[in-house]
Amino acid sequence: MKKIVFADIPMKEMTERDKVCYFKTGNAGCAYEGKVVFPINAVLSEKLKKGDNVKVVLLKTISAKGKTDANADFFRAELDGINASIGANIEYEPVESDFVETKKNHEKRLRAMLSKIEEGAEIFVDITFGPKPLPMVMMCVLNFAEKFFDADVRKIVYGKVDFVKHDDGTFSPENPELYDVTSLYYLNNLMGSMEAPDGKTALNALDEFFAL
């Protein structure tokens, strides 16, 4: 089964100093003890197997002063380094969009992302970086992929760090935590499919679901 990975690529320059270890942090149950800049790579270190066919979609937001291209290269080098001992077959495909939050640009980004979906694929997503509307577009893509391409949304992750300022004026990422937020995607799907005669009944049904 094909694995498809959607990874938001930041515009801010990322360097080796930004690497952190997400081992046993947050709620994602991460067992990878190495340091990464891109949280999804810690997840993929456990999910990839020898011979897997993997498409990594690099979501690149382009701006004049952004470092997206360099960060995309950084992502590839980081994952390729992890994969060296695994042996998966990884291909990288960019989806580029301008740093303009207009309806036209959202539609362009959505269509470009949907073009990367394949029938029956397992999908992994990292929403740590990128512009704020991108996770909302991503939710639409995932719903479409599940409904019409029989895709399996396996994991959506978000990496959190605190940027601590030091006496010399520099900042370093500390207290990393990796969160699996896949349940929010499925909760959104549930609420979209709920039927009830009124709001009170719907709230009671939601309470019953949370109690399970």
Side-chain angles (χ1 to χ4, degrees):
M1 181 179 292
K2 186 70 169 281
K3 289 181 170 66
I4 299 177
V5 180
F6 287 94
D8 293 349
I9 303 300
M11 290 181 286
K12 173 183 175 293
E13 182 179 17
M14 309 303 288
T15 69
E16 292 288 332
R17 297 190 304 274
D18 295 303
K19 287 190 172 186
V20 295
C21 177
Y22 289 104
F23 178 64
K24 291 185 176 180
T25 64
N27 72 337
C30 179
Y32 183 63
E33 298 185 41
K35 290 185 176 182
V36 295
V37 168
F38 304 95
I40 193 66
N41 288 339
V43 174
L44 295 175
S45 71
E46 303 174 67
K47 299 300 181 182
L48 298 186
K49 307 297 181 187
K50 182 178 177 62
D52 278 352
N53 293 315
V54 185
K55 179 195 294 183
V56 178
V57 182
L58 302 171
L59 303 175
K60 301 168 61 178
T61 304
I62 306 301
S63 68
K65 297 182 179 180
K67 303 296 183 181
T68 312
D69 286 338
N71 291 334
D73 291 340
F74 197 160
F75 183 102
R76 292 182 59 161
E78 185 172 273
L79 182 54
D80 286 346
I82 291 171
N83 186 49
S85 61
I86 299 174
N89 303 312
I90 302 178
E91 58 179 325
Y92 297 90
E93 297 187 12
V95 166
E96 297 185 352
S97 58
D98 296 327
F99 190 30
V100 180
E101 302 307 338
T102 61
K103 179 176 181 291
K104 182 178 180 180
N105 199 47
H106 295 325
E107 291 175 354
K108 178 182 177 182
R109 181 185 287 147
L110 174 66
R111 288 180 179 276
M113 292 166 68
L114 287 174
S115 72
K116 304 301 181 181
I117 300 298
E118 297 184 27
E119 189 73 26
E122 295 180 341
I123 300 180
F124 299 81
V125 181
D126 187 342
I127 60 171
T128 302
F129 305 107
K132 297 298 187 292
L134 194 50
M136 299 175 68
V137 176
M138 191 74 250
M139 289 291 188
C140 296
V141 171
L142 296 179
N143 186 272
F144 193 96
E146 271 201 311
K147 187 172 183 179
F148 299 110
F149 284 84
D150 195 29
D152 182 7
V153 178
R154 297 299 302 276
K155 197 170 284 288
I156 306 170
V157 297
Y158 164 73
K160 170 186 173 295
V161 296
D162 297 327
F163 284 94
V164 178
K165 186 176 183 179
H166 301 288
D167 293 338
D168 62 359
T170 62
F171 290 83
S172 63
E174 299 182 16
N175 307 316
E177 296 179 276
L178 184 60
Y179 291 98
D180 182 343
V181 295
T182 317
S183 60
L184 293 178
Y185 166 71
Y186 285 109
L187 176 60
N188 180 69
N189 286 359
L190 170 69
M191 296 182 72
S193 63
M194 285 178 61
E195 295 184 5
D198 52 57
K200 184 177 180 180
T201 304
L203 286 171
N204 288 337
L206 193 61
D207 287 339
E208 291 175 5
F209 171 78
F210 285 144
L212 294 177

